Amino acid sequence: MRQLLAGLCLWLACALVQAEVVKVRAFDDIIDSGVLKVAMYENFPPYSFMADGKPRGVDFELAQKLASELGLKVEVLWVRPDETLDDDLRNFIWKGHYLRPNVLADVMMRVPYDREFSYKQNELGELINELVVMFGPYQRERWQSAYDDRRLEELSSVAVFRYHPVGVEVESVPSFYLSSVFNGSIAKMLHHYPTAQAAFAAMQAGEVDATMAMRGEIDWMLGQANDSHLKAAQNAYPNMGKQVWELGMAVHESNRQLAYALEGELEGLIKAGTVETIYEGYGLQYELPELYQVQLGEN
């Protein structure tokens, strides 16, 4: 009983500290500080990761460009993914994590720019992310397969995975998709790995003949491997649902002024080709968000 009471007291103390300490920085305070606190997913190449003791990745470099346009420097707050994106937004944008009650980011990168997600409700009909503003689409992402042509002549359809082993990240969209498509006939050929990088390494080692992940990850890993036998596939994903989505940023709903400022700078960087150049620097294909496809007259 003493341990239970002690634990309860500790939990209450943490909750009180969190309620007192967590505070969203106003736009003027951010400008005065000279620092923009940006939340990014850690160990997530090619988007955000550490190399030679320094932050790298397309999200980091884009954040640097945006901050520089506002006369600011970037302070990275590394995010370890929680169970859901809703949890990540809560922990870094509007509430804070109970283990880090005084840490909030000014802006978070790589957040879906999706109306359905923005207005998602809980079982009581309440908006789950009502304290978050999602804005500034800067990239379109999609799913991509890669294969080794020494073991798989071509990959024109995922149906070939019924006869060839394929590696995927555990509990990922590719895992759920490939285990259920074609009445589950691919499931027996699925090999699961802790990360997309591990699945790709398994393909390099000959454990599997192919892999599937986000296109940016596949582009990056193919470039790093520099092996002419490892190729990106040209195939569709029948009955998958959402195969293409847009990514942007998120701020606390009270900080729309920061969102407007970042969005204005982002538009200039996209139209100038700066964002595309950042992606090309990491060997990635860059696809404009729909908003800018219309503005720039691209299909």
Side-chain angles (χ1 to χ4, degrees), residues 71-82:
L72 304 172
K73 293 183 178 180
V74 168
E75 177 184 331
V76 178
L77 302 182
W78 293 112
V79 176
R80 289 187 178 181
D82 210 319

Side-chain angles (χ1 to χ4, degrees), residues 264-286:
E265 301 301 341
L266 174 64
E267 181 175 346
L269 293 175
I270 287 178
K271 290 183 176 180
T274 303
V275 178
E276 182 174 8
T277 298
I278 291 174
Y279 277 73
E280 289 176 347
Y282 286 85
L284 311 185
Q285 302 172 67
Y286 179 68

Side-chain angles (χ1 to χ4, degrees), residues 53-97:
K54 297 180 180 180
R56 289 198 62 205
V58 292
D59 286 352
F60 173 70
E61 292 199 18
L62 176 57
Q64 274 194 315
K65 290 286 187 181
L66 291 169
S68 178
E69 294 296 322
L70 297 177
L72 304 172
K73 293 183 178 180
V74 168
E75 177 184 331
V76 178
L77 302 182
W78 293 112
V79 176
R80 289 187 178 181
D82 210 319
E83 292 185 4
T84 68
L85 176 59
D86 301 322
D87 295 331
D88 298 337
L89 292 170
R90 180 192 65 233
N91 293 338
F92 280 85
I93 293 298
W94 63 269
K95 186 176 182 181
H97 195 282

Side-chain angles (χ1 to χ4, degrees), residues 41 53 55 65 107 209:
Y41 288 104
K65 290 286 187 181
V107 60
D209 297 344

Side-chain angles (χ1 to χ4, degrees), residues 124-144:
L124 300 177
E126 302 167 331
L127 291 177
I128 294 175
N129 295 304
E130 66 175 343
L131 296 178
V132 178
V133 173
M134 301 169 203
F135 69 100
Y138 58 86
Q139 179 204 352
R140 295 190 96 196
E141 184 63 275
R142 60 179 67 231
W143 298 108
Q144 176 72 57

Side-chain angles (χ1 to χ4, degrees), residues 1-282:
M1 179 61 72
R2 290 181 180 176
Q3 290 179 330
L4 179 61
L5 288 174
L8 179 60
C9 288
L10 178 60
W11 180 84
L12 289 172
C14 289
L16 288 172
V17 169
Q18 179 169 324
E20 292 174 0
V21 175
V22 174
K23 182 179 179 181
V24 178
R25 297 202 303 168
F27 180 72
D28 289 343
D29 293 334
I30 294 171
I31 297 299
D32 290 343
S33 73
V35 173
L36 183 68
K37 297 182 179 181
V38 185
M40 303 181 199
Y41 288 104
E42 68 176 8
N43 193 27
F44 193 26
Y47 311 111
S48 48
F49 60 102
M50 293 291 291
D52 299 323
K54 297 180 180 180
R56 289 198 62 205
V58 292
D59 286 352
F60 173 70
E61 292 199 18
L62 176 57
Q64 274 194 315
K65 290 286 187 181
L66 291 169
S68 178
E69 294 296 322
L70 297 177
L72 304 172
K73 293 183 178 180
V74 168
E75 177 184 331
V76 178
L77 302 182
W78 293 112
V79 176
R80 289 187 178 181
D82 210 319
E83 292 185 4
T84 68
L85 176 59
D86 301 322
D87 295 331
D88 298 337
L89 292 170
R90 180 192 65 233
N91 293 338
F92 280 85
I93 293 298
W94 63 269
K95 186 176 182 181
H97 195 282
Y98 70 93
L99 292 177
R100 293 179 293 185
N102 60 342
V103 176
L104 279 181
D106 301 316
V107 60
M108 184 171 176
M109 307 294 289
R110 198 149 292 273
V111 176
Y113 183 75
D114 181 85
R115 181 178 177 82
E116 183 178 341
F117 179 79
S118 298
Y119 291 95
K120 185 170 60 173
Q121 299 178 346
N122 60 21
E123 63 275 8
L124 300 177
E126 302 167 331
L127 291 177
I128 294 175
N129 295 304
E130 66 175 343
L131 296 178
V132 178
V133 173
M134 301 169 203
F135 69 100
Y138 58 86
Q139 179 204 352
R140 295 190 96 196
E141 184 63 275
R142 60 179 67 231
W143 298 108
Q144 176 72 57
S145 297
Y147 65 100
D148 189 326
D149 69 4
R150 289 165 291 196
R151 297 188 295 276
L152 185 57
E153 186 174 344
E154 64 175 355
L155 180 50
S156 58
S157 168
V158 293
V160 303
F161 292 154
R162 289 179 292 188
Y163 315 106
H164 291 269
V166 54
V168 293
E169 182 177 359
V170 66
E171 295 186 353
S172 64
V173 171
S175 173
F176 295 132
Y177 170 67
L178 293 176
S179 64
S180 60
V181 72
F182 301 127
N183 297 317
S185 58
I186 295 176
K188 64 181 181 298
M189 302 303 289
L190 277 182
H191 293 235
H192 288 94
Y193 299 90
T195 64
Q197 291 76 25
F200 190 91
M203 179 177 68
Q204 290 179 287
E207 296 176 18
V208 295
D209 297 344
T211 187
M212 180 178 171
M214 287 182 285
R215 184 170 68 178
E217 292 180 299
I218 293 294
D219 286 347
W220 165 258
M221 292 184 289
L222 287 173
Q224 294 295 297
N226 193 28
D227 184 338
S228 62
H229 291 291
L230 304 181
K231 299 178 178 179
Q234 301 296 325
N235 61 274
Y237 301 97
N239 304 317
M240 188 177 192
K242 181 167 288 190
Q243 301 184 31
V244 181
W245 64 100
E246 298 196 345
L247 293 159
M249 297 171 276
V251 298
H252 191 279
E253 63 86 22
S254 67
N255 215 347
R256 293 175 184 270
Q257 188 176 359
L258 174 61
Y260 296 147
L262 290 172
E263 200 162 40
E265 301 301 341
L266 174 64
E267 181 175 346
L269 293 175
I270 287 178
K271 290 183 176 180
T274 303
V275 178
E276 182 174 8
T277 298
I278 291 174
Y279 277 73
E280 289 176 347
Y282 286 85

